[in-house]
Amino acid sequence: MPLTEEVTFKACLQKGNRVQVPKAVRWRFRLESNQVLRVMVCPVDVRMSWETFYGRMDKSGRITIPKLTLSLLQNRARQQTLTGAAMEVTLEPT
C-alpha cells in the first residue's frame, strides 16, 4: 500500500545531504524504494522557508536532498553548512 496521505516528521540532516525516514513511518505506510514522493524540507529554526522536490527513498530508508535545494536552504538560514541541523520533512504522494 503506497503512501496515501501527507506525513510530517523531524529528522537530522546527515552526511551526504540525506534525511532518515523513521521506521514507524516506513512500516505504517509500507513505503517502498520505487515510490516517487513529493518531499518538502525546512530547517526547524528557519520557518517559512520550505523547499519542495520529488525524490525516492533508498533501501536504507534515506532520502537525498538535491544540492540546489540544500544551497537555497543554506542561504535562507545564513549558515555555512546544515549537516547535523534539525529538519522538518513532509512527504506527500505524487
Side-chain angles (χ1 to χ4, degrees):
M1 179 175 115
L3 184 68
T4 56
E5 61 187 66
E6 180 180 300
V7 62
T8 302
F9 59 91
K10 290 182 175 65
C12 287
L13 184 66
Q14 298 175 347
K15 190 168 98 177
N17 305 337
R18 302 185 307 175
V19 290
Q20 178 78 44
V21 179
K23 277 187 179 180
V25 173
R26 294 192 322 242
W27 289 350
R28 179 177 176 203
F29 296 104
R30 293 180 176 84
L31 291 178
E32 298 177 3
S33 59
N34 62 354
Q35 184 179 1
V36 177
L37 302 167
R38 182 173 184 237
V39 183
M40 295 188 295
V41 292
C42 172
V44 171
D45 57 347
V46 182
R47 292 292 173 173
M48 307 307 285
S49 66
W50 289 92
E51 284 296 325
T52 305
F53 63 94
Y54 290 96
R56 287 190 201 171
M57 184 177 63
D58 63 9
K59 293 194 185 284
S60 65
R62 292 178 175 87
I63 296 175
T64 303
I65 300 175
K67 287 186 179 182
L68 177 60
T69 302
L70 195 64
S71 67
L72 292 172
L73 289 172
Q74 286 174 348
N75 288 341
R76 289 185 188 149
R78 294 183 175 92
Q79 293 181 4
Q80 189 70 11
T81 181
L82 289 175
T83 302
M87 306 287 282
E88 189 166 343
V89 182
T90 301
L91 303 178
E92 294 179 353
T94 55

PDB file of all heavy atoms in Angstrom, residues 67-92:
ATOM      1  N   LYS A  67      21.421  19.104  -4.310  1.00  0.00           N
ATOM      2  CA  LYS A  67      22.363  20.149  -3.912  1.00  0.00           C
ATOM      3  C   LYS A  67      21.790  21.547  -4.088  1.00  0.00           C
ATOM      4  O   LYS A  67      22.019  22.424  -3.255  1.00  0.00           O
ATOM      5  CB  LYS A  67      23.658  20.015  -4.717  1.00  0.00           C
ATOM      6  CG  LYS A  67      24.499  18.856  -4.288  1.00  0.00           C
ATOM      7  CD  LYS A  67      25.821  18.839  -5.000  1.00  0.00           C
ATOM      8  CE  LYS A  67      26.651  17.670  -4.514  1.00  0.00           C
ATOM      9  NZ  LYS A  67      27.968  17.647  -5.165  1.00  0.00           N
ATOM     10  N   LEU A  68      21.036  21.773  -5.153  1.00  0.00           N
ATOM     11  CA  LEU A  68      20.444  23.097  -5.363  1.00  0.00           C
ATOM     12  C   LEU A  68      19.457  23.433  -4.252  1.00  0.00           C
ATOM     13  O   LEU A  68      19.473  24.538  -3.704  1.00  0.00           O
ATOM     14  CB  LEU A  68      19.740  23.154  -6.723  1.00  0.00           C
ATOM     15  CG  LEU A  68      19.015  24.461  -7.035  1.00  0.00           C
ATOM     16  CD1 LEU A  68      19.994  25.622  -7.037  1.00  0.00           C
ATOM     17  CD2 LEU A  68      18.287  24.367  -8.348  1.00  0.00           C
ATOM     18  N   THR A  69      18.630  22.487  -3.889  1.00  0.00           N
ATOM     19  CA  THR A  69      17.661  22.692  -2.808  1.00  0.00           C
ATOM     20  C   THR A  69      18.379  22.989  -1.505  1.00  0.00           C
ATOM     21  O   THR A  69      18.003  23.898  -0.759  1.00  0.00           O
ATOM     22  CB  THR A  69      16.768  21.448  -2.658  1.00  0.00           C
ATOM     23  OG1 THR A  69      16.110  21.203  -3.891  1.00  0.00           O
ATOM     24  CG2 THR A  69      15.741  21.637  -1.570  1.00  0.00           C
ATOM     25  N   LEU A  70      19.423  22.236  -1.222  1.00  0.00           N
ATOM     26  CA  LEU A  70      20.179  22.441   0.019  1.00  0.00           C
ATOM     27  C   LEU A  70      20.871  23.803   0.035  1.00  0.00           C
ATOM     28  O   LEU A  70      20.880  24.478   1.068  1.00  0.00           O
ATOM     29  CB  LEU A  70      21.196  21.321   0.193  1.00  0.00           C
ATOM     30  CG  LEU A  70      21.787  21.211   1.581  1.00  0.00           C
ATOM     31  CD1 LEU A  70      20.700  20.854   2.591  1.00  0.00           C
ATOM     32  CD2 LEU A  70      22.878  20.191   1.614  1.00  0.00           C
ATOM     33  N   SER A  71      21.418  24.235  -1.107  1.00  0.00           N
ATOM     34  CA  SER A  71      22.082  25.542  -1.127  1.00  0.00           C
ATOM     35  C   SER A  71      21.077  26.673  -0.933  1.00  0.00           C
ATOM     36  O   SER A  71      21.384  27.674  -0.289  1.00  0.00           O
ATOM     37  CB  SER A  71      22.869  25.722  -2.424  1.00  0.00           C
ATOM     38  OG  SER A  71      21.994  25.798  -3.521  1.00  0.00           O
ATOM     39  N   LEU A  72      19.859  26.525  -1.460  1.00  0.00           N
ATOM     40  CA  LEU A  72      18.822  27.530  -1.217  1.00  0.00           C
ATOM     41  C   LEU A  72      18.455  27.596   0.265  1.00  0.00           C
ATOM     42  O   LEU A  72      18.270  28.686   0.820  1.00  0.00           O
ATOM     43  CB  LEU A  72      17.579  27.229  -2.054  1.00  0.00           C
ATOM     44  CG  LEU A  72      17.730  27.400  -3.565  1.00  0.00           C
ATOM     45  CD1 LEU A  72      16.496  26.877  -4.277  1.00  0.00           C
ATOM     46  CD2 LEU A  72      17.977  28.858  -3.913  1.00  0.00           C
ATOM     47  N   LEU A  73      18.358  26.445   0.902  1.00  0.00           N
ATOM     48  CA  LEU A  73      18.064  26.413   2.338  1.00  0.00           C
ATOM     49  C   LEU A  73      19.201  27.022   3.151  1.00  0.00           C
ATOM     50  O   LEU A  73      18.958  27.723   4.136  1.00  0.00           O
ATOM     51  CB  LEU A  73      17.795  24.983   2.788  1.00  0.00           C
ATOM     52  CG  LEU A  73      16.489  24.356   2.318  1.00  0.00           C
ATOM     53  CD1 LEU A  73      16.458  22.877   2.670  1.00  0.00           C
ATOM     54  CD2 LEU A  73      15.298  25.079   2.906  1.00  0.00           C
ATOM     55  N   GLN A  74      20.445  26.764   2.750  1.00  0.00           N
ATOM     56  CA  GLN A  74      21.594  27.319   3.469  1.00  0.00           C
ATOM     57  C   GLN A  74      21.623  28.840   3.363  1.00  0.00           C
ATOM     58  O   GLN A  74      21.932  29.532   4.324  1.00  0.00           O
ATOM     59  CB  GLN A  74      22.898  26.741   2.929  1.00  0.00           C
ATOM     60  CG  GLN A  74      23.150  25.324   3.340  1.00  0.00           C
ATOM     61  CD  GLN A  74      24.371  24.731   2.668  1.00  0.00           C
ATOM     62  OE1 GLN A  74      24.917  25.311   1.729  1.00  0.00           O
ATOM     63  NE2 GLN A  74      24.781  23.565   3.138  1.00  0.00           N
ATOM     64  N   ASN A  75      21.271  29.363   2.185  1.00  0.00           N
ATOM     65  CA  ASN A  75      21.250  30.823   2.010  1.00  0.00           C
ATOM     66  C   ASN A  75      20.196  31.455   2.902  1.00  0.00           C
ATOM     67  O   ASN A  75      20.434  32.507   3.498  1.00  0.00           O
ATOM     68  CB  ASN A  75      20.987  31.181   0.553  1.00  0.00           C
ATOM     69  CG  ASN A  75      22.175  30.894  -0.330  1.00  0.00           C
ATOM     70  OD1 ASN A  75      23.295  30.763   0.140  1.00  0.00           O
ATOM     71  ND2 ASN A  75      21.927  30.776  -1.619  1.00  0.00           N
ATOM     72  N   ARG A  76      19.030  30.838   3.002  1.00  0.00           N
ATOM     73  CA  ARG A  76      17.964  31.390   3.838  1.00  0.00           C
ATOM     74  C   ARG A  76      18.299  31.277   5.312  1.00  0.00           C
ATOM     75  O   ARG A  76      17.930  32.134   6.107  1.00  0.00           O
ATOM     76  CB  ARG A  76      16.653  30.683   3.547  1.00  0.00           C
ATOM     77  CG  ARG A  76      16.102  31.047   2.204  1.00  0.00           C
ATOM     78  CD  ARG A  76      14.759  30.438   1.989  1.00  0.00           C
ATOM     79  NE  ARG A  76      14.361  30.649   0.618  1.00  0.00           N
ATOM     80  CZ  ARG A  76      13.601  29.809  -0.054  1.00  0.00           C
ATOM     81  NH1 ARG A  76      13.147  28.722   0.521  1.00  0.00           N
ATOM     82  NH2 ARG A  76      13.274  30.068  -1.295  1.00  0.00           N
ATOM     83  N   ALA A  77      18.984  30.210   5.688  1.00  0.00           N
ATOM     84  CA  ALA A  77      19.349  30.016   7.092  1.00  0.00           C
ATOM     85  C   ALA A  77      20.604  30.793   7.462  1.00  0.00           C
ATOM     86  O   ALA A  77      20.956  30.887   8.639  1.00  0.00           O
ATOM     87  CB  ALA A  77      19.549  28.530   7.375  1.00  0.00           C
ATOM     88  N   ARG A  78      21.290  31.311   6.457  1.00  0.00           N
ATOM     89  CA  ARG A  78      22.539  32.051   6.643  1.00  0.00           C
ATOM     90  C   ARG A  78      23.566  31.232   7.422  1.00  0.00           C
ATOM     91  O   ARG A  78      24.198  31.704   8.358  1.00  0.00           O
ATOM     92  CB  ARG A  78      22.272  33.378   7.347  1.00  0.00           C
ATOM     93  CG  ARG A  78      21.458  34.332   6.512  1.00  0.00           C
ATOM     94  CD  ARG A  78      21.273  35.659   7.228  1.00  0.00           C
ATOM     95  NE  ARG A  78      20.598  36.614   6.393  1.00  0.00           N
ATOM     96  CZ  ARG A  78      19.269  36.779   6.378  1.00  0.00           C
ATOM     97  NH1 ARG A  78      18.506  36.047   7.150  1.00  0.00           N
ATOM     98  NH2 ARG A  78      18.717  37.685   5.591  1.00  0.00           N
ATOM     99  N   GLN A  79      23.692  29.970   7.008  1.00  0.00           N
ATOM    100  CA  GLN A  79      24.676  29.075   7.629  1.00  0.00           C
ATOM    101  C   GLN A  79      25.569  28.504   6.551  1.00  0.00           C
ATOM    102  O   GLN A  79      25.163  28.339   5.406  1.00  0.00           O
ATOM    103  CB  GLN A  79      23.978  27.932   8.364  1.00  0.00           C
ATOM    104  CG  GLN A  79      23.191  28.370   9.567  1.00  0.00           C
ATOM    105  CD  GLN A  79      22.554  27.193  10.267  1.00  0.00           C
ATOM    106  OE1 GLN A  79      22.757  26.049   9.903  1.00  0.00           O
ATOM    107  NE2 GLN A  79      21.765  27.484  11.290  1.00  0.00           N
ATOM    108  N   GLN A  80      26.794  28.173   6.938  1.00  0.00           N
ATOM    109  CA  GLN A  80      27.749  27.599   6.005  1.00  0.00           C
ATOM    110  C   GLN A  80      27.345  26.181   5.623  1.00  0.00           C
ATOM    111  O   GLN A  80      27.401  25.799   4.475  1.00  0.00           O
ATOM    112  CB  GLN A  80      29.153  27.606   6.630  1.00  0.00           C
ATOM    113  CG  GLN A  80      30.251  27.241   5.687  1.00  0.00           C
ATOM    114  CD  GLN A  80      30.489  28.317   4.646  1.00  0.00           C
ATOM    115  OE1 GLN A  80      29.981  29.422   4.735  1.00  0.00           O
ATOM    116  NE2 GLN A  80      31.262  27.988   3.635  1.00  0.00           N
ATOM    117  N   THR A  81      26.932  25.403   6.616  1.00  0.00           N
ATOM    118  CA  THR A  81      26.511  24.032   6.360  1.00  0.00           C
ATOM    119  C   THR A  81      25.330  23.695   7.258  1.00  0.00           C
ATOM    120  O   THR A  81      25.225  24.195   8.372  1.00  0.00           O
ATOM    121  CB  THR A  81      27.662  23.028   6.581  1.00  0.00           C
ATOM    122  OG1 THR A  81      27.201  21.728   6.305  1.00  0.00           O
ATOM    123  CG2 THR A  81      28.191  23.093   7.997  1.00  0.00           C
ATOM    124  N   LEU A  82      24.449  22.850   6.759  1.00  0.00           N
ATOM    125  CA  LEU A  82      23.295  22.425   7.534  1.00  0.00           C
ATOM    126  C   LEU A  82      23.438  20.995   8.043  1.00  0.00           C
ATOM    127  O   LEU A  82      22.514  20.462   8.642  1.00  0.00           O
ATOM    128  CB  LEU A  82      22.018  22.541   6.683  1.00  0.00           C
ATOM    129  CG  LEU A  82      21.536  23.950   6.379  1.00  0.00           C
ATOM    130  CD1 LEU A  82      20.349  23.909   5.426  1.00  0.00           C
ATOM    131  CD2 LEU A  82      21.157  24.673   7.654  1.00  0.00           C
ATOM    132  N   THR A  83      24.570  20.361   7.800  1.00  0.00           N
ATOM    133  CA  THR A  83      24.781  18.991   8.252  1.00  0.00           C
ATOM    134  C   THR A  83      24.638  18.928   9.768  1.00  0.00           C
ATOM    135  O   THR A  83      25.259  19.691  10.495  1.00  0.00           O
ATOM    136  CB  THR A  83      26.175  18.483   7.840  1.00  0.00           C
ATOM    137  OG1 THR A  83      26.286  18.574   6.422  1.00  0.00           O
ATOM    138  CG2 THR A  83      26.383  17.044   8.259  1.00  0.00           C
ATOM    139  N   GLY A  84      23.783  18.038  10.230  1.00  0.00           N
ATOM    140  CA  GLY A  84      23.509  17.897  11.649  1.00  0.00           C
ATOM    141  C   GLY A  84      22.356  18.757  12.132  1.00  0.00           C
ATOM    142  O   GLY A  84      21.934  18.632  13.278  1.00  0.00           O
ATOM    143  N   ALA A  85      21.851  19.632  11.277  1.00  0.00           N
ATOM    144  CA  ALA A  85      20.745  20.516  11.669  1.00  0.00           C
ATOM    145  C   ALA A  85      19.428  19.741  11.653  1.00  0.00           C
ATOM    146  O   ALA A  85      19.236  18.824  10.866  1.00  0.00           O
ATOM    147  CB  ALA A  85      20.653  21.706  10.719  1.00  0.00           C
ATOM    148  N   ALA A  86      18.526  20.136  12.523  1.00  0.00           N
ATOM    149  CA  ALA A  86      17.201  19.518  12.562  1.00  0.00           C
ATOM    150  C   ALA A  86      16.379  20.053  11.397  1.00  0.00           C
ATOM    151  O   ALA A  86      16.339  21.258  11.154  1.00  0.00           O
ATOM    152  CB  ALA A  86      16.516  19.818  13.877  1.00  0.00           C
ATOM    153  N   MET A  87      15.730  19.135  10.683  1.00  0.00           N
ATOM    154  CA  MET A  87      14.909  19.489   9.523  1.00  0.00           C
ATOM    155  C   MET A  87      13.506  18.972   9.731  1.00  0.00           C
ATOM    156  O   MET A  87      13.320  17.886  10.276  1.00  0.00           O
ATOM    157  CB  MET A  87      15.481  18.869   8.240  1.00  0.00           C
ATOM    158  CG  MET A  87      16.922  19.165   7.961  1.00  0.00           C
ATOM    159  SD  MET A  87      17.199  20.831   7.430  1.00  0.00           S
ATOM    160  CE  MET A  87      16.685  20.733   5.751  1.00  0.00           C
ATOM    161  N   GLU A  88      12.524  19.745   9.308  1.00  0.00           N
ATOM    162  CA  GLU A  88      11.151  19.273   9.285  1.00  0.00           C
ATOM    163  C   GLU A  88      10.887  18.782   7.876  1.00  0.00           C
ATOM    164  O   GLU A  88      11.122  19.502   6.899  1.00  0.00           O
ATOM    165  CB  GLU A  88      10.187  20.384   9.673  1.00  0.00           C
ATOM    166  CG  GLU A  88       8.786  19.888   9.869  1.00  0.00           C
ATOM    167  CD  GLU A  88       7.908  20.898  10.565  1.00  0.00           C
ATOM    168  OE1 GLU A  88       8.425  21.835  11.183  1.00  0.00           O
ATOM    169  OE2 GLU A  88       6.681  20.721  10.483  1.00  0.00           O
ATOM    170  N   VAL A  89      10.428  17.553   7.745  1.00  0.00           N
ATOM    171  CA  VAL A  89      10.241  16.910   6.450  1.00  0.00           C
ATOM    172  C   VAL A  89       8.773  16.509   6.294  1.00  0.00           C
ATOM    173  O   VAL A  89       8.184  15.944   7.215  1.00  0.00           O
ATOM    174  CB  VAL A  89      11.136  15.657   6.325  1.00  0.00           C
ATOM    175  CG1 VAL A  89      10.988  15.008   4.960  1.00  0.00           C
ATOM    176  CG2 VAL A  89      12.591  15.993   6.612  1.00  0.00           C
ATOM    177  N   THR A  90       8.214  16.817   5.141  1.00  0.00           N
ATOM    178  CA  THR A  90       6.844  16.416   4.819  1.00  0.00           C
ATOM    179  C   THR A  90       6.883  15.589   3.550  1.00  0.00           C
ATOM    180  O   THR A  90       7.472  16.007   2.548  1.00  0.00           O
ATOM    181  CB  THR A  90       5.936  17.646   4.617  1.00  0.00           C
ATOM    182  OG1 THR A  90       5.941  18.414   5.814  1.00  0.00           O
ATOM    183  CG2 THR A  90       4.522  17.218   4.289  1.00  0.00           C
ATOM    184  N   LEU A  91       6.285  14.407   3.608  1.00  0.00           N
ATOM    185  CA  LEU A  91       6.181  13.530   2.455  1.00  0.00           C
ATOM    186  C   LEU A  91       4.742  13.498   1.979  1.00  0.00           C
ATOM    187  O   LEU A  91       3.827  13.367   2.790  1.00  0.00           O
ATOM    188  CB  LEU A  91       6.619  12.106   2.816  1.00  0.00           C
ATOM    189  CG  LEU A  91       8.019  11.924   3.381  1.00  0.00           C
ATOM    190  CD1 LEU A  91       8.246  10.460   3.719  1.00  0.00           C
ATOM    191  CD2 LEU A  91       9.055  12.418   2.404  1.00  0.00           C
ATOM    192  N   GLU A  92       4.557  13.626   0.675  1.00  0.00           N
ATOM    193  CA  GLU A  92       3.228  13.558   0.085  1.00  0.00           C
ATOM    194  C   GLU A  92       3.263  12.601  -1.093  1.00  0.00           C
ATOM    195  O   GLU A  92       4.282  12.458  -1.763  1.00  0.00           O
ATOM    196  CB  GLU A  92       2.794  14.934  -0.432  1.00  0.00           C
ATOM    197  CG  GLU A  92       2.591  15.978   0.620  1.00  0.00           C
ATOM    198  CD  GLU A  92       2.183  17.317   0.033  1.00  0.00           C
ATOM    199  OE1 GLU A  92       2.190  17.459  -1.209  1.00  0.00           O
ATOM    200  OE2 GLU A  92       1.865  18.221   0.810  1.00  0.00           O
TER     201      GLU A  92
END
